[in-house]
């Protein structure tokens, strides 16, 4: 029997379902399915996904095929949030299985590093993408408020922008700086050429983005410069040659800000020397030490609040199913099931899911760690946390009022955390390099 994965162009050759349970593996599957077959309950789907992961980890392709057949009868790219999420996880599992045993699986899809077609957005489409749910706007709002407070009274400001959303954060800050009582500063934004090839992808160059920001700043009467870091076409080049005062053209008369939005997860945490005892040499820690050495006035770090770095496939699937459910469920509250905008957004989430589940080694670039773990990592390099002030909290709450009622915010230690129905989604943190309360810069009022 050939079964099509709903919402995808890939297919696998599966056993006839009437014979599935007549094997020893089938008996194991029957136990896993007890009380679940035909149910759309999330706990039952998660049990099936873990059964499939266990089969793949033990190279039991036959059992994996059997579970995939059952999952395929639950998954739907136009169903409820659990079904839609399952369809993308199932696709990732099929992609992974095809790499392990392509002939028995009869997998007809691409085996390239990305089997999900990626789309290039216009700047207008990107703005709509960012506004859809507060996944990115939460971090923008918290970071911009902290940055605005940290640079009060400064006539010249230089922002190093490490982000995946093509400088979409800065128009709001530029607008706020234009209204500053003492007048706007001279603002410089510097961004690297290199960014991970993950959604959202833009159909214009970094230079074109800078030109648009320059035009907007001129309209708001804010002096503005935009620079792209030269010779930063790869992450290795960026870290080895460009993160120094000379290459970045740092100036003594300006205040430096470092902005990291959904960035650090793409820096490998594998020891660069190949030995666990040399963890300090990992790309992630190297980057943090480098930006600390630049002595910035403030560093803001925003990322998704989940641990998706486990070596175990089963662990990653459990976390993925319970975390990636959030965007699928939040979109359900205001977009119809067949909405093209919804499907496009979910496809971008699916791109992430495929990397988390379908790949290993250096090809698995989605390696999130929780906000608590990231905060401890940052403290370990000698940076100090700067708690967000009540004014920032008020601004973020005002932003969330524009979205569905399921979105909320809470404090965890010195972090602000975006939540959906009580589940952690995104964390925001702020850091200083020069000891507690340098020049009154810690954020508490």
């Amino acid at each position: 029997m050939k079964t099509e994965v709903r919402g995808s162009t890939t297919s696998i050759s599966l056993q006839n379902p009437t014979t599935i349970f007549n094997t020893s593996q089938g008996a194991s599957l029957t136990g896993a399915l007890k009380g679940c077959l035909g149910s759309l309950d999330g706990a039952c789907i998660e049990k099936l996904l873990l059964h499939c992961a266990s089969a793949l980890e033990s190279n039991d392709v036959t059992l994996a095929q059997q579970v995939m057949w059952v999952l395929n009868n639950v998954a739907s790219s136009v169903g409820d949030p659990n079904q839609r999420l399952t369809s993308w996880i199932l696709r990732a599992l099929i992609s992974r299985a095809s790499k392990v045993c392509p002939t028995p699986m009869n997998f007809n899809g691409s085996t390239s590093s990305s089997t999900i077609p990626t789309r290039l957005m216009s700047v207008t489409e990107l703005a709509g993408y960012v506004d859809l749910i507060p996944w990115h706007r939460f971090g923008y709002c918290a970071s911009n408020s902290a940055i605005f407070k940290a640079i009060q009274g400064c006539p010249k400001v230089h922002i190093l922008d490490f982000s995946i959303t093509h400088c979409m954060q800065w128009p709001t800050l530029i607008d706020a700086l234009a209204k500053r009582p003492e007048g706007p500063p001279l603002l410089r934004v510097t961004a690297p050429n290199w960014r991970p090839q993950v959604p959202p992808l833009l159909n214009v160059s970094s230079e074109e983005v800078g030109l648009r920001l320059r035009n907007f700043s001129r309209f708001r009467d804010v002096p503005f410069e935009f620079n792209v870091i030269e010779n930063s076409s790869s992450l290795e080049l960026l870290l080895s040659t460009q993160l120094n005062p000379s290459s970045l053209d740092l100036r003594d008369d300006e205040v430096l800000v470092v902005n990291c939005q959904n960035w650090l997860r793409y820096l490998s945490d594998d020891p660069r020397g190949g030995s666990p005892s040399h963890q300090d040499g990992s790309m992630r820690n190297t980057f943090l030490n480098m930006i600390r050495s630049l002595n910035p006035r403030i560093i803001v770090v925003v990322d998704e609040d989940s641990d998706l770095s486990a070596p175990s496939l089963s662990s990653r699937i459990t976390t993925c199913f319970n975390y990636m459910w959030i965007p699928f469920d939040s979109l359900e509250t205001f977009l119809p099931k067949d909405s093209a905008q919804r499907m496009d957004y979910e496809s971008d989430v699916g791109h992430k899911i495929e990397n988390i589940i379908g790949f290993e080694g250096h090809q698995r670039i989605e390696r999130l760690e929780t906000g608590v773990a990231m905060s401890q990592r940052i403290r370990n390099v000698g940076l100090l946390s700067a708690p967000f002030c009540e004014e920032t909290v008020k601004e973020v709450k005002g932003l969330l009022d524009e979205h569905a009622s399921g979105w909320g915010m809470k404090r965890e230690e010195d972090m602000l955390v975006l939540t959906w129905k009580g589940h952690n989604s995104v964390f925001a943190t702020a850091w200083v390099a020069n000891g507690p309360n340098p020049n009154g810069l810690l954020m508490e009022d």
Side-chain angles (χ1 to χ4, degrees):
M1 168 186 160
K2 178 168 280 193
T3 305
E4 294 290 328
V5 179
R6 299 188 183 100
S8 108
T9 58
T10 59
S11 62
I12 58 174
S13 178
L14 296 175
Q15 296 181 22
N16 189 310
T18 61
T19 67
I20 283 179
F21 304 105
N22 297 328
T23 64
S24 58
Q25 294 98 331
S28 173
L29 180 58
T30 302
L33 290 175
K34 188 175 182 180
C36 287
L37 196 57
S39 169
L40 301 182
D41 177 75
C44 291
I45 295 173
E46 183 179 352
K47 185 184 294 187
L48 286 167
L49 290 170
L50 288 175
H51 212 60
C52 186
S54 177
L56 288 173
E57 287 182 311
S58 61
N59 293 320
D60 189 340
V61 177
T62 300
L63 180 57
Q65 287 177 310
Q66 294 169 352
V67 183
M68 287 178 191
W69 173 82
V70 179
L71 285 168
N72 189 58
N73 284 274
V74 172
S76 171
S77 62
V78 292
D80 66 26
N82 277 340
Q83 291 175 294
R84 297 167 88 103
L85 173 59
T86 302
S87 72
W88 285 108
I89 296 179
L90 176 57
R91 177 174 184 143
L93 286 167
I94 293 171
S95 175
R96 183 185 182 96
S98 75
K99 299 179 185 72
V100 175
C101 191
T103 304
M105 291 298 292
N106 190 27
F107 182 74
N108 299 318
S110 167
T111 57
S112 65
S113 60
S114 176
T115 61
I116 300 174
T118 52
R119 60 194 174 105
L120 296 178
M121 300 183 197
S122 67
V123 173
T124 301
E125 289 170 332
L126 178 59
Y129 172 93
V130 166
D131 286 343
L132 199 59
I133 59 175
W135 204 264
H136 293 288
R137 292 184 71 202
F138 165 81
Y140 294 171
C141 184
S143 299
N144 283 349
S145 180
I147 291 168
F148 185 86
K149 185 173 179 65
I151 63 175
Q152 282 182 345
C154 301
K156 296 182 180 181
V157 178
H158 186 182
I159 298 175
L160 296 183
D161 184 28
F162 301 98
S163 170
I164 65 168
T165 51
H166 311 278
C167 298
M168 286 298 296
Q169 176 178 347
W170 304 126
T172 304
L173 180 64
I174 291 168
D175 190 60
L177 292 173
K179 303 170 186 175
R180 205 168 68 161
E182 67 269 34
L186 168 61
L187 178 63
R188 284 206 298 151
V189 173
T190 297
N193 253 338
W194 181 87
R195 72 181 293 281
Q197 288 304 297
V198 296
L201 299 174
L202 205 56
N203 65 359
V204 298
S205 66
S206 297
E207 289 77 8
E208 174 65 21
V209 170
L211 179 61
R212 290 170 184 248
L213 281 175
R214 193 174 296 115
N215 290 338
F216 179 76
S217 299
R218 186 181 299 116
F219 173 72
R220 300 297 289 126
D221 293 323
V222 175
F224 182 82
E225 297 178 18
F226 183 83
N227 303 290
V228 176
I229 301 176
E230 299 296 334
N231 301 318
S232 61
S233 57
S234 73
L235 185 56
E236 289 74 16
L237 273 175
L238 176 66
L239 293 182
S240 63
T241 66
Q242 300 304 307
L243 292 188
N244 59 75
S246 175
S247 297
L248 296 170
D249 189 25
L250 301 189
R251 301 167 188 172
D252 293 337
D253 61 345
E254 64 185 8
V255 165
L256 180 64
V257 171
V258 177
N259 180 66
C260 299
Q261 301 271 335
N262 299 290
W263 176 267
L264 285 171
R265 82 179 88 147
Y266 297 110
L267 306 187
S268 172
D269 196 32
D270 293 335
R272 299 176 84 177
S275 168
S277 63
H278 292 90
Q279 189 185 28
D280 286 347
S282 74
M283 201 171 282
R284 198 170 296 183
N285 288 341
T286 296
F287 175 83
L288 287 170
N289 278 300
M290 283 181 165
I291 61 174
R292 179 184 182 275
S293 71
L294 298 175
N295 196 28
R297 174 69 63 97
I298 186 173
I299 300 166
V300 288
V301 176
V302 175
D303 217 320
E304 297 172 356
D305 195 9
S306 183
D307 181 6
L308 287 165
S309 60
S312 162
L313 175 62
S314 295
S315 295
R316 295 203 305 275
I317 283 182
T318 297
T319 304
C320 191
F321 185 73
N322 288 284
Y323 178 71
M324 293 302 178
W325 160 84
I326 294 171
F328 286 89
D329 191 59
S330 63
L331 292 171
E332 174 86 357
T333 62
F334 67 97
L335 288 176
K337 294 185 185 300
D338 60 351
S339 162
Q341 189 179 28
R342 177 178 178 178
M343 289 182 176
D344 283 344
Y345 198 101
E346 290 174 346
S347 177
D348 290 342
V349 178
H351 187 283
K352 187 184 306 181
I353 290 170
E354 178 146 12
N355 188 265
I356 292 166
I357 294 173
F359 293 89
E360 295 293 350
H362 69 278
Q363 290 183 309
R364 180 161 62 86
I365 62 172
E366 293 281 352
R367 293 176 181 257
L368 276 171
E369 56 186 331
T370 65
V372 171
M374 178 62 75
S375 294
Q376 186 57 55
R377 177 189 297 276
I378 296 173
R379 289 189 189 94
N380 289 346
V381 303
L383 293 167
L384 295 171
S385 178
F388 292 96
C389 68
E390 289 304 318
E391 184 178 344
T392 297
V393 171
K394 183 178 179 181
E395 288 182 32
V396 174
K397 286 181 177 178
L399 165 70
L400 297 182
D401 286 342
E402 301 173 16
H403 293 273
S405 60
W407 293 106
M409 185 197 67
K410 64 181 180 180
R411 289 181 183 266
E412 282 190 5
E413 299 180 350
D414 291 334
M415 299 187 297
L416 293 184
V417 181
L418 175 69
T419 64
W420 172 254
K421 296 181 178 178
H423 298 271
N424 286 21
S425 304
V426 179
F427 70 86
T429 58
W431 304 86
V432 292
N434 290 331
N437 203 26
N439 301 318
L441 291 178
L442 279 179
M443 303 294 117
E444 289 285 14
D445 287 339

